[in-house]
Amino acid sequence: MEKHPGFFARSRFSSDIKKEINARQIKINLGIGFFNILLCLGIMWVYGIGLMH
């Protein structure tokens, strides 16, 4: 994923397209995303929000 040119982009409005992304930044971004999913699922579980009632 580090070498993929557009999978993780820092900014779409940046003038410097060739900014390198390292493995640490990928791990942090994926961790934040995973935490957000767990947070949303937890909120849905506490408030009883779901597709099947």
Side-chain angles (χ1 to χ4, degrees):
M1 281 196 237
E2 283 185 67
K3 301 298 179 194
H4 193 280
F7 191 73
F8 285 101
R10 285 189 181 194
S11 175
R12 294 183 187 270
F13 304 109
S14 176
S15 61
D16 185 16
I17 298 172
K18 295 197 174 213
K19 289 186 177 179
E20 293 291 325
I21 294 207
N22 58 25
R24 182 174 185 235
Q25 291 169 328
I26 293 172
K27 290 175 187 175
I28 290 171
N29 287 331
L30 291 177
I32 290 171
F34 185 68
F35 175 75
N36 286 332
I37 290 171
L38 289 179
L39 180 66
C40 291
L41 288 174
I43 290 170
M44 289 173 63
W45 180 66
V46 168
Y47 289 107
I49 302 168
L51 297 175
M52 303 183 82
H53 293 279

